[in-house]
Amino acid sequence: RKEVEQDPGPFNVPEGATVAFNCTYSNSASQSFFWYRQDCRKEPKLLMSVYSSGNEDGRFTAQLNRASQYISLLIRDSKLSDSATYLCVVNLFNDMRFGAGTRLTVKP
Amino acid sequence: GAVVSQHPSWVICKSGTSVKIECRSLDFQATTMFWYRQFPKQSLMLMATSNEGSKATYEQGVEKDKFLINHASLTLSTLTVTSAHPEDSSFYICSARVSGAAAYEQYFGPGTRLTVT
């Protein structure tokens, strides 16, 4: 089983749609969790951290369920500029482990 | 702040030659730097963890004699791909962790695209 698993997509959605990405991780000792965004041929950039209580940053909401070892990212009111690959990242003892990413394309 | 640069951004080389990639933290010190490789449509794969002044720790399956890592200062790590072959063609990304900071205070360089012909 992979350490961090994501649905690779692609997700093709119209502007204004709400889209959700899921991620599962295998090691229950994982300590912290993040969503990164990676544009084509660019480096990943931190989008947001994920907390058990859930956290929101504008149109983005992240949730963590430790019992199920599951992380989610919800994007509301999608914009064209949201098109990218979204990487789920899990920190285990200061080792950041990346999922393969979920590709999102937002269309006009 | 927290800018990491990589040089070169793109390199094409012939099979059998060696290529050196530099990773620099421009405005912070980084005791630890990481080297990743990413093939098209695949995830970032950690190759090695580099600590300033000591030998790098390589992930399983990564040949340390082929991918030479040097982290001689708190702002510079280099990755040398020795005797490169076409299968080494990939996107190489470094990241640098702010000295003394948590794991997530890790910033990525813009990546180096290596094409071996």
Side-chain angles (χ1 to χ4, degrees), chain A residues 63-84:
Chain A
Q63 292 276 358
L64 165 65
N65 184 321
R66 283 190 183 269
S68 303
Q69 295 178 202
Y70 170 94
I71 305 157
S72 66
L73 177 67
L74 182 78
I75 305 176
R76 289 181 300 279
D77 188 23
S78 304
K79 311 289 184 194
L80 296 177
S81 56
D82 293 334
S83 298

Side-chain angles (χ1 to χ4, degrees), chain B residues 11-80:
Chain B
V11 56
I12 302 173
C13 70
K14 291 188 176 179
S15 190
T17 60
S18 294
V19 175
K20 180 187 278 190
I21 303 169
E22 291 186 350
C23 176
R24 292 181 187 272
S25 56
L26 297 186
D27 50 3
F28 65 97
Q29 293 188 330
T31 309
T32 305
M33 291 187 176
F34 305 88
W35 287 96
Y36 296 85
R37 181 167 52 181
Q38 186 176 35
F39 293 107
K41 299 187 181 182
Q42 294 188 25
S43 84
L44 286 169
M45 295 300 298
L46 179 65
M47 299 176 68
T49 301
S50 152
N51 289 297
E52 185 263 339
S54 64
K55 288 184 180 180
T57 303
Y58 290 81
E59 295 297 300
Q60 195 170 15
V62 178
E63 298 173 58
K64 61 181 180 182
D65 295 329
K66 181 169 180 64
F67 298 99
L68 301 178
I69 291 171
N70 184 279
H71 191 161
S73 79
L74 286 172
T75 58
L76 172 64
S77 176
T78 60
L79 168 69
T80 302

